[in-house]
Amino acid sequence: MRLVYLLLFVLSSSSTQAQTAPLRQQIDALFASPKPQVLLLGTFHFAGERVDANTTPAYLRVDIRSPSRQAQLGEVIKRIARFNPTKIAIEASPNAKQYIDSVYAAYRAGKFRGDKRVSEEDELYQLGFRLADRLGHRELFPIDAPPFRIRFSPVDSLTMFTKYEHQADSSFAFWDQQYTTYAKLQDSLKYHASVVDYLRFLNTDDTQSRSIGRWLVTTKRGTNREPIGADGFISRYYNRNLRIYSNIQRLITSPSDRILVLYGNTHLYILKHLIKASPEFELADTMDYLN
């Protein structure tokens, strides 16, 4: 009897698959049109990590201009160039487009060696300019964005936010210490690894998900009625990355576009989530080019 039931189950499953397969194909066909490809490359700040809150100690800062690091960086550029991007998007304000165009033109002419805004150690100079020049690009595209500036409603007042500033929760202190240790280990890994090996580490799913973990611990600040932690995360972190994503959308001029996005790795978890979910883009696998 059990054999009969098993046979009926198999036949029923086969029949269901035969009926649903064409429907699934129709569903897939709705989203199968040619799409621009996007390659996301998460980077660290080449200029010694002196621009963010998590500043690298001086003795662990990478000298990107040393002969060994230049050779390693050259290998990265060679690998990423295989993506053959039509546009390179960078972590800079769109308000700086004219300035970046001018210094990049000077760079291509051999007349720019860095200034106060774009140093020779900067990843924009060392990676963005060098890669764009290798590919014959005439410009780069700044896509950075500030977070939304909250206008408080009466129920979401500034007073309501500040009253939870010192809310007791042992997990905040615990995870803050864990992530402080994690940052120190990252600094050591970055110093001892080659540039390509460290970029491989940065661009793994685990590393990119951990990059927002520190802030997700804080989302439980407040109460069920006044969820200020969640609101702060949405308005400051998620909102900023959604704005960056919208700037990528506006770069598209053709289904054959291939957009390379060079960005600080802490942004990549959200950006990857948005690009992957979008019906407008095809997300390229970064490891196909780093390995």
Side-chain angles (χ1 to χ4, degrees):
M1 185 61 69
R2 289 182 181 179
L3 182 59
V4 172
Y5 284 139
L6 179 60
L7 182 59
L8 288 174
F9 175 77
V10 171
L11 291 174
S12 175
S13 298
S14 299
S15 176
T16 300
Q17 290 177 5
Q19 291 174 339
T20 60
L23 293 173
R24 294 189 178 210
Q25 290 172 2
Q26 290 179 55
I27 290 171
D28 291 340
L30 290 174
F31 301 94
S33 59
K35 301 172 186 177
Q37 288 196 39
V38 177
L39 178 65
L40 300 170
L41 180 64
T43 69
F44 62 97
H45 292 297
F46 291 177
E49 294 280 66
R50 290 170 291 191
V51 298
D52 279 344
N54 300 318
T55 301
T56 301
Y59 68 93
L60 288 177
R61 290 176 186 165
V62 171
D63 180 6
I64 202 67
R65 294 188 293 176
S66 70
S68 62
R69 294 297 188 181
Q70 285 290 292
Q72 294 167 11
L73 187 59
E75 180 61 26
V76 171
I77 290 169
K78 178 182 175 181
R79 294 181 186 209
I80 298 301
R82 290 183 292 145
F83 177 65
N84 196 25
T86 58
K87 298 183 178 79
I88 298 176
I90 57 173
E91 187 174 354
S93 170
N95 293 335
K97 179 71 165 69
Q98 185 175 358
Y99 162 75
I100 291 171
D101 284 348
S102 67
V103 295
Y104 174 57
Y107 170 86
R108 295 194 74 191
K111 298 178 180 179
F112 181 69
R113 291 293 182 269
D115 60 19
K116 290 183 179 180
R117 295 177 67 179
V118 180
S119 76
E120 195 173 356
E121 296 175 311
D122 198 301
E123 62 269 22
L124 172 56
Y125 185 104
Q126 288 289 340
L127 187 54
F129 283 5
R130 287 177 62 179
L131 184 56
D133 186 39
R134 177 190 179 107
L135 296 167
H137 290 196
R138 300 183 64 179
E139 60 182 334
L140 296 96
F141 298 87
I143 59 168
D144 201 18
F148 177 63
R149 300 299 192 265
I150 299 174
R151 288 188 176 184
F152 292 105
S153 69
V155 295
D156 290 324
S157 66
L158 184 59
T159 302
M160 184 269 283
F161 269 72
T162 57
K163 82 178 183 180
Y164 295 105
E165 185 176 359
H166 302 293
Q167 183 180 30
D169 186 329
S170 60
S171 67
F172 293 142
F174 171 78
W175 284 112
D176 186 62
Q177 182 57 51
Q178 293 293 96
Y179 276 96
T180 297
T181 301
Y182 176 53
K184 292 178 181 178
L185 291 171
Q186 277 190 297
D187 286 338
S188 295
L189 178 61
K190 176 178 59 183
Y191 184 78
H192 293 289
S194 70
V195 175
V196 68
D197 281 343
Y198 189 65
L199 290 179
R200 287 194 194 106
F201 165 77
L202 286 184
N203 285 273
T204 61
D205 290 339
D206 284 346
T207 301
Q208 290 176 346
S209 62
R210 290 183 190 125
S211 70
I212 68 166
R214 189 174 201 151
W215 316 119
L216 285 173
V217 173
T218 69
T219 56
K220 62 179 176 288
R221 288 189 186 275
T223 67
N224 290 353
R225 288 190 171 189
E226 298 175 328
I228 61 98
D231 293 346
F233 181 85
I234 291 168
S235 62
R236 296 184 63 187
Y237 188 87
Y238 206 100
N239 171 265
R240 181 185 174 194
N241 286 287
L242 191 56
R243 285 183 166 194
I244 293 166
Y245 164 77
S246 72
N247 287 337
I248 297 172
Q249 285 179 295
R250 283 183 277 271
L251 285 182
I252 300 302
T253 56
S254 166
S256 61
D257 268 333
R258 299 171 67 84
I259 310 298
L260 171 63
V261 179
L262 303 176
Y263 233 81
N265 196 59
T266 56
H267 297 271
L268 266 287
Y269 182 83
I270 299 296
L271 289 179
K272 182 183 287 186
H273 155 72
L274 295 170
I275 295 290
K276 191 171 183 178
S278 172
E280 296 182 299
F281 298 111
E282 180 181 341
L283 180 65
D285 188 342
T286 305
M287 290 305 172
D288 284 347
Y289 297 93
L290 289 178
N291 289 332

